[in-house]
Amino acid sequence: MVPGHQLERKRVGVWTLAATIFFVVNGGPYTTEQVVGKSGPLFGLLVLLLIPIFWALPVALLTAELSSAFPEEGGYYVWVKKGLGPFAGFLCAWYSWLSSWVDLALYPLLAVEYGSRLFVHGGQEVPHRYLWVLGLIVAFTVLNLLGVRVVGLFSDGLLVLLFAPFLMIFFLGLFRISTQPIPHIPLLNPKWTWQGLGMATVYALWNYFGWDSLTTTSGEVDQASRKFPKAILLAVGMVTAMVVLPVAAGIVLKTDWPNWDSDAGYWPEIASAAWPGLVGVVIVGGAISNVGLFAANLLASSRIPYVLAADRFLPAFIFREHPKFKTPWVGILLAGIFSALLARDSFENLVGVDLALYLGALMLEFATLLVLRKRGALDGAHFRIPGGFGLLVPLVLAPTIIALGAIILQLSPSLKLSDLPVSPAVLALLMFATGPIVYGVSRKFAK
């Protein structure tokens, strides 16, 4: 990277960072209802309870330690480059960037779908849907140009609006339990399949991944080495509560669990069973959730091309800052353009590809943690994972085994993308193959 170069640091509070990480990772319990619909009520709730322990917490602890040791712009790219070398660092950044394309293309579309349910009924097509999607992309791309602090404050406000209706669902569920007999709750739905269980686990993992994503902005946050570990661990508790509590209440309130597997989302129906007055609020919350997810993930992913261009893996024009706001505006615009071009609704087939790419990058980060710990390069970190080196091995193995098992079950060759003649497994392999190719080309032609 350009020696001594540093984007302008802004004062960002721990709570604001935690709120932004919340929207990068989760954005509310939307899509968690499909975990129950694809598997069963008790199995789905069990998965949503265990994944924070065996997946989210290990990744969050890794992120907390490495971000406190290297609070630099580029986050995980910098860590892996220091631990495993430039090739591994590039692959980590490249696969994370490809993974972000799937997410960024999806969120504006889902925001419009949820918002339109207040005005469009009976399965009618949303008028001028793509124009609404494009409008959201433009608006929140402009918001990102203002910088990490503005996006963080925006996330603060959205978080309050999002928490309120789901807390009400939880307390109404508690009230229902106290006044009526608890219904019989089976482990699995009657027509469950192994692929359905794998898909349910993938959806659950998707609701708990991205803890490292916002570290790409570490160079823009004052006292990042102290604030990021606190914010990440705070966000783990926020995300877990926001996922588990509403789902547990919903299982009691709305017992037609196989119907929870709805492409349009089932939270409005669950809210109606709790109190009909909540339906509109939950629908608006769906739009808010996806707007927040788009804004926060755009913030995180737009720094990847910036730092890759700084190290001459991408064209030099990407390494430019906005003259007024001191933000990497070319990277932000690129992310906005990709999301506009790729906006689509085939998420169920692509979520396994998304997770596979993210897992590839994450394994490089886990390897980096082990290598840097062995070298003693993390001795000065403000945060250290307790328990010594012996705890790190099971900490790495647990999320790896969970994610690989879910990906193998979900990336079936029988699944086809809606408009491409390849399976998600083939698409994932093709996208993995681009990493070494782009690295080789960039090394050959870089000046």
Side-chain angles (χ1 to χ4, degrees), residues 122-141:
Q124 299 175 6
E125 180 69 19
V126 180
H128 310 296
R129 180 176 64 173
Y130 185 71
L131 291 179
W132 286 102
V133 171
L134 192 60
L136 283 178
I137 291 171
V138 171
F140 290 99
T141 299

Side-chain angles (χ1 to χ4, degrees), residues 36 101 111 126 146 202 219 322 348 352 359 395-396 402 417 432 441:
V36 173
W101 294 1
V126 180
L146 302 179
V202 167
H322 193 281
E348 179 163 329
L359 181 63
L395 202 72
V396 169
I402 291 171
L417 295 175
F432 272 117
V441 171

Side-chain angles (χ1 to χ4, degrees), residues 401-422:
I401 292 170
I402 291 171
L404 285 176
I407 291 169
I408 290 169
L409 284 172
Q410 193 268 335
L411 287 181
S412 166
S414 63
L415 274 176
K416 297 290 184 182
L417 295 175
S418 57
D419 56 358
L420 291 174
V422 294

Side-chain angles (χ1 to χ4, degrees), residues 216-399:
T216 57
T217 66
S218 294
E220 301 164 69
V221 176
D222 70 310
Q223 301 180 37
S225 61
R226 297 181 182 275
K227 290 181 177 179
F228 261 100
K230 296 177 182 177
I232 289 161
L233 296 177
L234 176 59
V236 171
M238 292 163 58
V239 170
T240 304
M242 191 57 157
V243 167
V244 172
L245 297 182
V247 170
I251 285 172
V252 176
L253 292 166
K254 191 73 173 169
T255 58
D256 56 339
W257 303 296
N259 293 332
W260 287 31
D261 185 15
S262 168
D263 290 338
Y266 206 66
W267 278 112
E269 286 73 14
I270 298 170
S272 179
W275 177 43
L278 279 177
V279 174
V281 182
V282 168
I283 290 174
V284 172
I288 288 173
S289 170
N290 284 286
V291 162
L293 282 161
F294 179 78
N297 278 279
L298 179 62
L299 175 70
S301 66
S302 62
R303 273 55 180 176
I304 301 174
Y306 175 81
V307 293
L308 290 179
D311 277 350
R312 300 182 178 88
F313 289 116
L314 293 178
F317 74 89
I318 298 175
F319 185 65
R320 290 181 181 174
E321 298 174 26
H322 193 281
K324 180 177 181 181
F325 304 116
K326 304 301 180 183
T327 51
W329 66 272
V330 179
I332 293 169
L333 290 181
L334 281 176
I337 291 169
F338 284 138
S339 63
L341 293 174
L342 300 175
R344 53 186 299 160
D345 57 0
S346 56
F347 176 66
E348 179 163 329
N349 280 340
L350 285 178
V351 65
V353 178
D354 190 10
L355 182 61
L357 289 167
Y358 178 75
L359 181 63
L362 187 62
M363 291 306 96
L364 292 170
E365 294 175 36
F366 275 126
T368 296
L369 177 65
L370 296 175
V371 168
L372 291 178
R373 268 289 192 96
K374 272 292 188 183
R375 290 181 191 167
L378 301 176
D379 292 344
H382 289 292
F383 176 87
R384 295 266 291 181
I385 299 172
F389 192 84
L391 182 64
L392 295 185
V393 175
L395 202 72
V396 169
L397 287 177

